[in-house]
Each structure stands twice: as C-alpha cells, then as structure tokens.
Amino acid sequence: MSLIWKNRITVSYFGEAHDPVIGVNIDGLPEGEHISAEEIVKFLSRTAPKSISAIDKKILPSPRIMSGIRNNRTTGAPLCAVIQNSTVDTSYNSDTMQNVNIQRGLADYTGALRYRGYSDVRNSAFNSDIFTIPLCFAGAVCGQILERRGIYTGAHIAFLHNIKDNPFDPVNISRDAIISVRSKDFPVISDRKGWLMVEDMAKANEVGERLGGIVECASVNVPAGVGSPIFDGLENNIAQLIFGIPTASGLEFGAGFSAAKMLGSQYNDAFYTNDRGYSVTKTNCHGGVINGISSGMPVTLKAAFRPPSDDLSAPCFVPKAVPCVESAVNIALLSKMIDYPNFC
C-alpha cells in the first residue's frame, strides 16, 4: 500500500480514514520560503463549498503544523501537519472484518481481496475523501511558493452531469482569470451554469443518485524547459497525483482525446515570436507540455471524475475535486521546478 509520492519533493500521508488523526509530511521544500497559515486554511475551505453545505455536511478538519516551519518560514526540515479527524468511527469490531458490505462501495470488495480481509472496511479506509485534506494542504504550501515566482494554477468545474461551464481560453488565460474563479464559493466561470449544477446535485441527492463530471485546470507563467522526457515527464508526475484523488477516472492534456480526430496540420501548434520576444504558439493543442517538457504556454488539462460509490458521503465529488486537481498540479510543478535555473 503506497501513501507516498516521491520525486524531488516527497509527499506522504499517514493514518486511516477513521483514525483520530491523519496527517501529511512534505520533504524537499526549499528553506526560507514564507508560508501563510491563513492562506492554507483558506485553500482548505474550498474542499467544503458553502453552496453545497446542505447536500454535503462534511466538517472541515483544521491542520496543526508540527515541524518544518519556524517564524512562518520553511526550515528545510520535513514539514509535518497533523489533522484532527472529524469522521472517526468507533463502531469497528472483529466481526466487521468478516462482513464487508460489497454493495456499499466497490473499494470495499477490492480492498478486502488485496489485504486478505484485514483492511479497515468501516468506510474504505484508503479511498475516503478525508485524504483530500492532506493533498490540499501540500498543494496549498506548494502553491504559495510557486505564486511568489508568478506561477498561478486554477481550476473550475467544466462539466457536471450534463451541464457545461464556459471553458478556459487555452492560449490567453490570465492570472486574473484564474484568481477570479478560485475566489468563488462554487468554482465555475458562468455563475448561471453553477446554479444549474447545484440544483442538479440537490435533485440527485433527493433520489439517492450520484453524479460525475470534469474539472478543467490551467497553470500560467510556467517557463519553458520544465520537466523531462519519457518516464519522468511533467504530465507523468501530474497524472500520478491526479489518480490519487478519489473517483478520478480519466485525464487529458491540451486537446487530449480530441487530437485523435484531428489532422496533423490541425493539431501541430505553430510557433512564432511575440512582441515581448518570447517563442509562443498560436494555438495550444499540446496543453503547454511537449515530450514531457513545458513549452512556456499555459499548462492545461482536464480530469474526469466518475459518480462516487456509497463509500463517499456526497452525491457528487466534483466540487471538492477542484482544489484537489490544483493541488496535484502545484505539487508536480514545484517538484520539477526546484532544480530550474535561478528558482531558489
């Protein structure tokens, strides 16, 4: 069982879904970086949007930083945060181990097989959405370090069930556009579409149904030359973290699967020199990454999330997935950029 993502930065979780505390260790962060605890809490609050509080009554845990930060600056030691768990379940007994409720969630069945009946089956201990909190804590820390270098990442709900939001502009998306959607309680570009999505989730909840959707994410001001080809590409690292998010079921960069329908002349992005002297492309079908290495264009991706099983409390995980996707991108970007010239 792996709760560790290891690259230039290492992120590891500890605990199980119904333990009194869970937590996260982040190793490899550059020393001397200013970290705002208030900004971390603000980021974590996005995992529990007020606009769906009547649908999803999850209580947001608050983290306690144990090491790695002194006087609001990273020390170079591993940053450890402990999170008081609001979902502790004391109903576990020896009979539970032998009575997996397969109908509750598919993860119970596969987990029971993988761990021969000894895994904690109270609520799919390693598939629970409680582990979005350690992920988002790490993503919030990495995001602050990146933003100090002018690199901003933001995401929104592109689709929820059959309702579609306005898309990001893959070529001209700005820092302001990213900050604007991040500041909303319900992360959509079109507020009208957001209202329809909230109504759709409420209707699904009334009849005990579950919904899926797609999250679109973009990072701006990522310099060219970040990443490596083949097995250690920027997309590879992002994908590893994305698929650690509950209910994640698909991922595409840039044009993604639509590229399969294009001609080469349609897909290949033409480079030119802009008025600031930078090499950029007129289109961004490649999603800002070519052969595992950033091109200097916005890094764009879409992550699909299936309807949750009954082991997750909310009828739709997609709103919570938005800061999770941002966090995955922040962690992967910072890990790749630490060795970038003049970064530290």
Side-chain angles (χ1 to χ4, degrees):
M1 176 180 301
S2 178
L3 293 178
I4 302 174
W5 183 83
K6 187 173 184 179
N7 205 280
R8 187 65 173 79
I9 289 174
T10 299
V11 176
S12 59
Y13 307 158
F14 56 87
E16 295 186 75
H18 291 287
D19 285 348
V21 295
I22 60 172
V24 59
N25 274 300
I26 315 168
D27 198 4
L29 293 173
E31 65 280 357
E33 295 290 337
H34 183 272
I35 301 298
S36 166
E38 291 78 9
E39 287 300 313
I40 292 175
V41 171
K42 183 178 178 181
F43 191 98
L44 293 180
S45 70
R46 296 171 58 207
T47 65
K50 295 178 182 178
S51 54
I52 61 170
S53 59
I55 304 171
D56 180 7
K57 296 180 174 61
K58 183 77 73 178
I59 300 172
L60 180 66
S62 58
R64 181 181 179 187
I65 296 174
M66 307 301 292
S67 66
I69 293 181
R70 181 180 176 85
N71 297 325
N72 298 322
R73 292 190 179 274
T74 55
T75 63
L79 197 170
C80 175
V82 172
I83 300 159
Q84 192 71 34
N85 195 349
S86 63
T87 63
V88 176
D89 183 356
T90 59
S91 63
Y92 181 76
N93 56 59
S94 59
D95 294 333
T96 308
M97 191 184 303
Q98 306 299 329
N99 293 285
V100 178
N101 184 350
I102 296 175
Q103 297 303 316
R104 188 185 65 189
L106 297 178
D108 285 342
Y109 175 68
T110 55
L113 292 179
R114 171 63 178 84
Y115 299 106
R116 299 181 296 170
Y118 290 97
S119 59
D120 187 341
V121 298
R122 280 172 289 180
N123 193 11
S124 299
F126 288 99
N127 192 49
S128 171
D129 60 349
I130 192 65
F131 283 102
T132 61
I133 304 301
L135 173 68
C136 288
F137 180 94
V141 170
C142 293
Q144 288 188 40
I145 297 173
L146 289 169
E147 288 183 8
R148 207 157 290 119
R149 275 81 173 175
I151 300 168
Y152 287 78
T153 298
H156 71 112
I157 303 171
F159 286 87
L160 194 149
H161 192 197
N162 57 6
I163 302 169
K164 181 179 180 181
D165 189 23
N166 299 338
F168 281 144
D169 182 332
V171 176
N172 299 308
I173 184 169
S174 66
R175 165 187 172 275
D176 290 344
I178 281 176
I179 291 175
S180 174
V181 74
R182 276 191 343 200
S183 66
K184 295 183 177 182
D185 176 64
F186 195 76
V188 288
I189 295 172
S190 167
D191 291 336
R192 186 179 68 84
K193 296 295 182 67
W195 299 331
L196 294 175
M197 291 177 186
V198 172
E199 290 176 0
D200 201 21
M201 285 189 292
K203 291 176 182 177
N205 189 54
E206 289 174 1
V207 297
E209 195 51 270
R210 301 286 192 263
L211 303 176
I214 295 174
V215 173
E216 183 183 32
C217 184
S219 295
V220 297
N221 301 327
V222 178
V226 176
S228 300
I230 315 301
F231 297 123
D232 199 25
L234 183 56
E235 313 111 303
N236 307 49
N237 290 175
I238 292 172
Q240 286 178 318
L241 289 157
I242 292 287
F243 284 108
I245 303 172
T247 78
S249 60
L251 178 63
E252 65 178 19
F253 290 83
F257 289 103
S258 298
K261 305 174 184 177
M262 295 181 178
L263 298 172
S265 57
Q266 295 173 312
Y267 178 82
N268 294 326
D269 301 307
F271 277 91
Y272 73 99
T273 302
N274 66 13
D275 54 7
R276 299 176 61 192
Y278 293 109
S279 293
V280 295
T281 57
K282 294 181 179 180
T283 52
N284 192 17
C285 293
H286 66 283
V289 186
I290 301 174
N291 195 30
I293 304 170
S294 62
S295 67
M297 294 296 290
V299 175
T300 63
L301 59 96
K302 294 186 181 74
F305 294 87
R306 62 171 173 78
S309 303
D310 288 341
D311 55 341
L312 292 178
S313 59
C316 181
F317 183 74
V318 179
K320 286 187 176 185
V322 170
C324 295
V325 171
E326 290 179 20
S327 296
V329 174
N330 281 338
I331 295 166
L333 272 176
L334 181 59
S335 187
K336 284 298 182 190
M337 290 201 64
I338 282 180
D339 293 325
Y340 193 79
N342 302 318
F343 182 79
C344 294

